[in-house]
Amino acid sequence: MKTLGILGGMGPLATSDFYRKVIDLTPAQDDPDHIAVVMVANPRIPLRIAAWEGHGPSPVPALTVVARQLVAMGAGVIAMPCNTAHYWYAQLQAAVPHAQFLHIADEAMRAVAARHPQARHIGLLATHATVKMGLYQASTATFCPTGASILRLDDEAQNQCSASITAIKAGNLAQGAQALQPAVKALIAQGAEVIVLGCTELPLVMQSLSKAVPLIDATETLAQAAIAACNT
Amino acid sequence: MKTLGILGGMGPLATSDFYRKVIDLTPAQDDPDHIAVVMVANPRIPLRIAAWEGHGPSPVPALTVVARQLVAMGAGVIAMPCNTAHYWYAQLQAAVPHAQFLHIADEAMRAVAARHPQARHIGLLATHATVKMGLYQASTATFCPTGASILRLDDEAQNQCSASITAIKAGNLAQGAQALQPAVKALIAQGAEVIVLGCTELPLVMQSLSKAVPLIDATETLAQAAIAACNT
């Protein structure tokens, strides 16, 4: 059984949510049945959105240091519960060639394709950076049937989604839940057959969302993939 | 600001609960306001109760390795969210002399003394090993007023408390909550003025417990102490 490395801290609450999901999804009767985990949660990794927008330092050097620390601690599989940071996925995987670095959007879209093979209109709730960098569009092209595509929110709904993420990062879950409702409604109105929670803060308020269409929690799919990868 | 090292995995759910409490208790508006955390959750550390009872290998070598790993990863403060493992506290603190190794029972009893200075009859919910090794009795003698003492459960109620812990470790929270009720009732009947949850699995079912007397969550007191220690 391999050790799971969690490249965390982006943000801490999302990291904690991911770790809890790894535990909850592991069939276990006692402590030794669980996966060994090493985690580094450095909340001072340069901010990802600012870096992607070109007005902040790159997070790659700090992320690379942490990825190598995790490998040095024994991690054979690495999961990074932050969608936006996957913009630098190729560089990070290259920095730790002997570890399996999971890709959150790939795992989410694999799950969409498996659970909702008929879906062609896929809603995405994510940071504006994740949306604009095309992270989920690329994973959809790889894992979903021809014709499946990611719906785009208009600017107002996207801004509300981003405000929700900011509120959750500040620990205001009720405010975050409320701010997210218009984006969910907009995606349903646009014909979304399934909605992906493609920012790791959003599952923290998932229970308050409309169940009118199925929701896919990218964090949960990453946890499932991590358990499977550690058990191979 | 110091980095917090979490010596975890005993059990994983308790570790996750502790980390979540550190996050929730930290005043933060965005990721960089949080404490940096490194964690090693090795669920195959030799079982603590078996070792204490003399029919299993000592966990000290494995715990020492992890404590040193945490220091090597930058931890200046170490917290171990497992009460029973504090039997070996002195050896572990000695193994990492340059880090501040927090003591969960000391933090819990410090909180009891601060929040309930009049209390003299203190209920304890813990593993039978934690009870019998006198972990909380020693911390009570150090931090609580003269005359304060830990109430002992009878064997039947203690067995139910232990069954509750086993159920929670297996992920059966509803069963764990139910099994714990008789022990809580017994402590109240014995005159407990405050009850300490002195096993890190028990806060996972705390919300289902009677509020007839105040409850002290040892995990939460450890989280508060960890935040304070990292900020000094």
Side-chain angles (χ1 to χ4, degrees):
Chain A
M1 199 186 269
K2 290 178 192 157
T3 293
L4 173 62
I6 302 179
L7 205 173
M10 307 174 285
L13 204 53
T15 303
S16 152
D17 181 54
F18 171 72
Y19 179 41
R20 174 70 188 250
K21 281 170 180 159
V22 170
I23 297 164
D24 286 345
L25 293 169
T26 301
Q29 283 306 306
D30 202 356
D31 297 353
D33 302 326
H34 283 274
I35 288 169
V37 175
V38 294
M39 179 188 88
V40 175
N42 174 3
R44 277 167 291 283
I45 286 172
L47 295 172
R48 285 67 62 194
I49 295 177
W52 179 78
E53 288 173 338
H55 54 76
S58 168
V60 172
L63 291 171
T64 302
V65 165
V66 175
R68 288 184 178 144
Q69 280 181 313
L70 293 170
V71 171
M73 299 282 287
V77 174
I78 294 180
M80 178 168 67
C82 171
N83 285 268
T84 309
H86 281 70
Y87 182 66
W88 298 277
Y89 172 81
Q91 289 150 274
L92 296 175
Q93 173 65 88
V96 285
H98 301 298
Q100 181 182 355
F101 203 123
L102 300 171
H103 188 296
I104 192 169
D106 284 359
E107 297 309 333
M109 296 319 298
R110 225 195 284 264
V112 169
R115 298 182 205 171
H116 306 285
Q118 309 304 325
R120 296 292 177 273
H121 303 95
I122 299 160
L124 174 64
L125 297 169
T127 64
H128 66 274
T130 296
V131 172
K132 286 194 189 163
M133 70 180 62
L135 193 73
Y136 275 82
Q137 289 85 330
S139 299
T140 300
T142 307
F143 295 102
C144 293
T146 308
S149 69
I150 297 287
L151 299 172
R152 288 286 285 269
L153 287 170
D154 64 29
D155 285 353
E156 190 186 337
Q158 179 58 51
N159 286 342
Q160 285 166 316
C161 181
S162 298
S164 167
I165 294 165
T166 302
I168 297 165
K169 276 189 185 286
N172 301 324
L173 300 192
Q175 190 187 327
Q178 199 178 0
L180 197 58
Q181 308 296 344
V184 173
K185 275 190 195 159
L187 289 172
I188 294 172
Q190 286 181 56
E193 295 152 85
V194 53
I195 295 176
V196 177
L197 279 67
C199 169
T200 52
E201 314 297 339
L202 298 177
L204 276 306
V205 300
M206 187 168 171
Q207 287 191 324
S208 70
L209 298 183
S210 163
K211 306 291 181 295
V213 301
L215 301 174
I216 297 283
D217 172 356
T219 303
E220 187 195 65
T221 67
L222 185 66
Q224 283 173 324
I227 294 164
C230 287
N231 282 320
T232 55
Chain B
M1 198 186 268
K2 290 178 191 158
T3 294
L4 172 63
I6 302 179
L7 205 172
M10 306 174 285
L13 204 52
T15 304
S16 152
D17 182 53
F18 171 72
Y19 178 42
R20 174 70 187 249
K21 282 170 179 159
V22 170
I23 297 164
D24 286 346
L25 293 169
T26 301
Q29 283 307 307
D30 202 356
D31 298 354
D33 303 326
H34 282 274
I35 288 169
V37 175
V38 295
M39 179 188 90
V40 175
N42 173 4
R44 277 166 291 284
I45 286 172
L47 295 172
R48 285 67 61 193
I49 295 177
W52 178 77
E53 287 173 338
H55 53 76
S58 168
V60 172
L63 291 171
T64 302
V65 165
V66 175
R68 289 184 177 145
Q69 280 181 313
L70 292 170
V71 171
M73 299 282 286
V77 175
I78 294 180
M80 179 168 66
C82 171
N83 285 268
T84 309
H86 281 70
Y87 182 67
W88 298 277
Y89 172 82
Q91 289 151 275
L92 297 175
Q93 173 66 86
V96 285
H98 301 299
Q100 181 182 355
F101 203 123
L102 301 171
H103 188 295
I104 192 168
D106 283 358
E107 298 308 332
M109 297 319 297
R110 225 194 284 264
V112 169
R115 298 182 204 171
H116 306 285
Q118 309 304 327
R120 294 295 176 271
H121 303 93
I122 298 159
L124 175 64
L125 298 169
T127 65
H128 66 274
T130 295
V131 172
K132 286 193 188 163
M133 68 179 63
L135 192 72
Y136 275 83
Q137 290 86 331
S139 298
T140 299
T142 307
F143 295 101
C144 294
T146 308
S149 68
I150 297 286
L151 300 171
R152 288 286 286 267
L153 287 170
D154 64 29
D155 286 353
E156 190 184 338
Q158 180 58 51
N159 286 342
Q160 284 166 317
C161 180
S162 299
S164 167
I165 294 164
T166 302
I168 297 166
K169 276 187 186 287
N172 301 324
L173 300 191
Q175 191 186 327
Q178 198 178 2
L180 197 57
Q181 308 295 345
V184 174
K185 275 190 197 163
L187 288 172
I188 294 172
Q190 286 181 59
E193 295 151 85
V194 53
I195 295 177
V196 177
L197 279 66
C199 169
T200 52
E201 313 297 339
L202 298 178
L204 276 306
V205 301
M206 187 168 171
Q207 287 192 323
S208 70
L209 297 183
S210 164
K211 307 292 180 294
V213 301
L215 302 174
I216 297 283
D217 172 356
T219 302
E220 187 195 63
T221 68
L222 184 66
Q224 282 172 324
I227 294 165
C230 287
N231 282 321
T232 55

